[in-house]
């Protein structure tokens, strides 16, 4: 992987098989500007193409995962501009990443920051995490998937309440509602540490199976149950063409640890 320097994010490989992306606009509480999103999409694509990376962790600072989209960038835009230039459309590029992306959320994850976390595959939250879609206070609505992904995660009534009142919700509420996988223990950097450990565990599996698993779970949101089951079964069948399936099952039968080659 290249050692490219970015202006709005930091990238590293803290553990074997794990790529870490840290949003780095501290003065703006990691507000999501167009330049930042372009860099984020580029870094995600680079890790996705890196054979040594099996999972990606995305985080911000202790104070803010991302406090929202950059209002200063948006406030003077006209309809013709945002419509013709497909404003925010490139945000969905990260949903095309094949490797699992784990969000490690501390502090504020509001507006676009909440939507960014929702686009990740797994969310871990620190006890300080605060989520919300406060766009209604600005005279608009969520534009990066908040109304859709929250509705799928927590249902119509709660999503309506959050979108129409603009109120924030806590890490504990997010865990209770199923927005996040879990709230980690207290301590600075703990959520990133646990996300990296989870990424390392995922990266120890066969990459083809991991990516197929992600593809199958995501399909559940798009397909009928019958079509989803058919899709899952075909992916399952297809994995029997891989060396990792032979190795994994042989290792189980022989009571030894599997040595996956991602082939």
């Amino acid at each position: 992987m290249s050692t490219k320097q970015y202006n709005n994010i930091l990238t590293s490989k803290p553990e074997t098989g794990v790529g870490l992306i840290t949003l780095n606009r501290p003065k703006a509480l990691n507000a999501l500007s167009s330049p930042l999103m372009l860099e984020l999409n580029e870094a995600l694509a680079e890790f996705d193409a890196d054979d040594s990376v099996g999972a990606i962790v995305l985080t911000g600072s202790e104070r803010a995962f991302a406090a929202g989209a950059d209002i200063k960038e948006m406030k003077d835009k006209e309809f013709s501009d945002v419509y013709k230039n497909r404003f925010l459309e490139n945000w969905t590029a990260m949903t095309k990443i094949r490797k699992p992306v784990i969000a490690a959320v501390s502090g504020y994850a509001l507006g676009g920051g909440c939507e960014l976390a929702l686009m990740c595959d797994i969310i871990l939250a620190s006890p300080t995490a605060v989520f919300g879609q406060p766009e209604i206070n600005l005279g608009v609505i969520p534009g990066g998937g908040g109304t859709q992904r929250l509705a799928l995660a927590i249902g119509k009534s709660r999503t309506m309440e959050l979108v129409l009142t603009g109120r924030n919700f806590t890490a504990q509420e997010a865990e209770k509602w199923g927005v996040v996988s879990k709230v980690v223990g207290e301590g600075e950097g703990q959520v990133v540490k646990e996300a990296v450990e989870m990424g390392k565990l995922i990266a120890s599996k066969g990459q083809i199976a991991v990516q197929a698993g992600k593809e199958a779970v995501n399909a559940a949101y798009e397909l009928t149950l019958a079509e989803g089951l058919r899709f899952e079964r075909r992916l399952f069948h297809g994995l029997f063409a891989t060396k990792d399936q032979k190795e994994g099952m042989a290792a189980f039968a022989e009571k030894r640890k599997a040595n996956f080659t991602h082939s």
Side-chain angles (χ1 to χ4, degrees), residues 175-221:
E175 182 181 41
K176 184 172 75 172
W177 297 344
V179 175
V180 307
S181 291
K182 70 172 182 174
V183 179
V184 306
E186 292 186 21
E188 186 169 339
Q190 188 64 27
V191 69
V192 177
K193 181 181 177 184
E194 291 207 26
V196 168
E197 282 302 308
M198 182 180 286
K200 185 179 178 183
L201 178 61
I202 292 170
S204 72
K205 318 299 182 185
Q207 285 187 16
I208 300 172
V210 166
Q211 291 174 31
K214 170 174 172 170
E215 191 176 1
V217 173
N218 280 334
Y221 289 100

Side-chain angles (χ1 to χ4, degrees), residues 74-188:
M74 290 192 290
K75 68 183 182 66
D76 295 324
K77 287 185 180 292
E78 300 285 346
F79 169 77
S80 58
D81 176 15
V82 295
Y83 183 76
K84 285 196 299 184
N85 294 303
R86 300 181 176 185
F87 186 55
L88 298 190
E89 215 167 291
N90 67 338
W91 282 35
T92 57
M94 73 171 292
T95 63
K96 304 295 193 292
I97 299 298
R98 298 186 71 174
K99 293 172 183 175
V101 181
I102 306 166
V105 179
S106 292
Y108 296 113
L110 304 178
C114 186
E115 292 169 314
L116 183 63
L118 289 168
M119 281 189 275
C120 296
D121 301 304
I122 299 168
I123 308 175
L124 300 184
S126 79
T128 67
V130 178
F131 300 87
Q133 300 289 166
E135 289 88 347
I136 202 78
N137 299 323
L138 303 175
V140 292
I141 65 169
T147 63
Q148 306 302 297
R149 291 192 176 90
L150 267 181
L152 289 171
I154 65 177
K156 175 184 174 180
S157 182
R158 284 193 180 120
T159 302
M160 281 287 191
E161 179 201 342
L162 295 170
V163 169
L164 302 184
T165 67
R167 86 162 177 90
N168 296 340
F169 57 102
T170 65
Q172 292 70 32
E173 285 177 299
E175 182 181 41
K176 184 172 75 172
W177 297 344
V179 175
V180 307
S181 291
K182 70 172 182 174
V183 179
V184 306
E186 292 186 21
E188 186 169 339

Side-chain angles (χ1 to χ4, degrees), residues 34-49:
S34 291
L36 182 149
M37 291 305 299
L38 287 171
E39 290 187 353
L40 176 58
N41 285 339
E42 185 178 337
L44 284 166
E46 195 167 352
F47 277 140
D48 207 30

Side-chain angles (χ1 to χ4, degrees), residues 246-261:
K246 301 295 182 292
E247 167 61 15
M249 292 191 177
F252 179 84
E254 295 162 17
K255 295 183 171 60
R256 60 176 176 83
K257 185 178 179 181
N259 179 31
F260 294 119
T261 56

